Amino acid sequence: MSEIGLRERKKRRMYRTVSDIAIRMFLERGFDAVSVTEVAAAAEISKPTLFRYFPAKEDLVLYRIADHEEEPARVVREGPTPVEALKRHFLAGLERHDPVTGLNDDPEVLAFHTLLYGTPSLVARLYGQLERTEEALAEALGDGLDARLAAGQIIAVRRILAQENWRRIAAGESLDAVGEDAVDAAERAFAVLARSLPAGVTE
């Protein structure tokens, strides 16, 4: 058991180390200007080894937010109702300036978001991750068409709220100013969700 734990820790450390090296290189020179071969060399691993950890170049970047992929599904199981649980979770994220909410003015976080949303291939890969998030959330909501429709709306609301916060901060607005509006926007958005989603997946 301890050996499995050690092996898993080493694997996760390798993922994090290689991802961090790649992101640093992409931020310095641009995503398209850095090859996978260069990343492998900088990480002191072979190219085949890198691809065993990261099937696509874009995954080197998306690994940093991969732990959020099943987060909505986990949150809805905490209750009291799916929408209320997700609202509370998002508001708590705003309060602690979680980068995933977009409400964070740390230069490194802003640079990462600029890299992510400013690179077409990363945006395309990100949507694949969002689809998997929707699928997991739909299953947590009970599956079926209503659950899938609800999951799509919920994930879209979270994404749009976060992107709006990031865009405003990236444009130079203060964290405090954006934060006040972000809380109001989240309250309104989740209230609309609570009224519009089928009762079977919101109770």
Side-chain angles (χ1 to χ4, degrees):
M1 183 68 71
S2 60
E3 180 62 27
I4 294 175
L6 177 60
R7 188 180 300 117
E8 182 62 26
R9 287 196 298 273
K10 287 183 176 179
K11 183 178 179 181
R12 292 181 181 182
R13 187 160 55 245
M14 172 64 80
Y15 271 110
R16 185 171 61 250
T17 298
V18 176
S19 175
D20 287 347
I21 289 171
I23 290 171
R24 184 170 63 250
M25 296 174 72
F26 296 151
L27 290 174
E28 289 173 354
R29 295 164 48 193
F31 182 79
D32 294 326
V34 180
S35 69
V36 172
T37 300
E38 290 175 299
V39 173
E44 299 183 338
I45 59 175
S46 68
K47 187 175 177 180
T49 296
L50 185 148
F51 276 123
R52 279 203 299 273
Y53 285 96
F54 302 95
K57 180 181 177 182
E58 290 77 12
D59 294 333
L60 289 160
V61 176
L62 293 176
Y63 176 75
R64 181 166 290 185
I65 57 175
D67 58 335
H68 292 288
E69 190 170 305
E70 303 229 354
E71 191 173 65
R74 174 182 57 78
V75 169
V76 300
R77 296 187 178 100
E78 298 173 357
T81 64
V83 174
E84 181 64 21
L86 288 163
K87 182 186 76 171
R88 292 179 183 180
H89 183 264
F90 193 84
L91 292 174
L94 290 175
E95 186 174 354
R96 66 177 181 271
H97 299 162
D98 189 330
V100 77
T101 67
L103 190 64
N104 189 298
D105 62 355
D106 183 283
E108 291 186 7
V109 172
L110 291 174
F112 176 80
H113 283 156
T114 299
L115 170 68
L116 179 60
Y117 295 121
T119 308
S121 62
L122 287 174
V123 172
R125 193 74 171 179
L126 175 62
Y127 272 92
Q129 189 179 91
L130 290 174
E131 286 181 351
R132 292 191 296 275
T133 299
E134 284 183 19
E135 290 171 3
L137 178 56
E139 183 177 347
L141 292 172
D143 221 348
L145 179 58
D146 283 350
R148 292 196 297 275
L149 290 170
Q153 293 177 69
I154 290 167
I155 297 305
V157 164
R158 285 163 44 97
R159 174 180 57 81
I160 292 168
L161 289 172
Q163 286 185 336
E164 176 67 10
N165 296 336
W166 165 70
R167 287 193 182 102
R168 290 181 59 183
I169 291 174
E173 293 189 54
S174 72
L175 190 69
D176 289 341
V178 177
E180 291 182 10
D181 291 342
V183 171
D184 290 340
E187 293 276 11
R188 292 198 312 273
F190 282 99
V192 170
L193 281 174
R195 293 193 301 268
S196 62
L197 296 180
V201 297
T202 58
E203 299 174 348

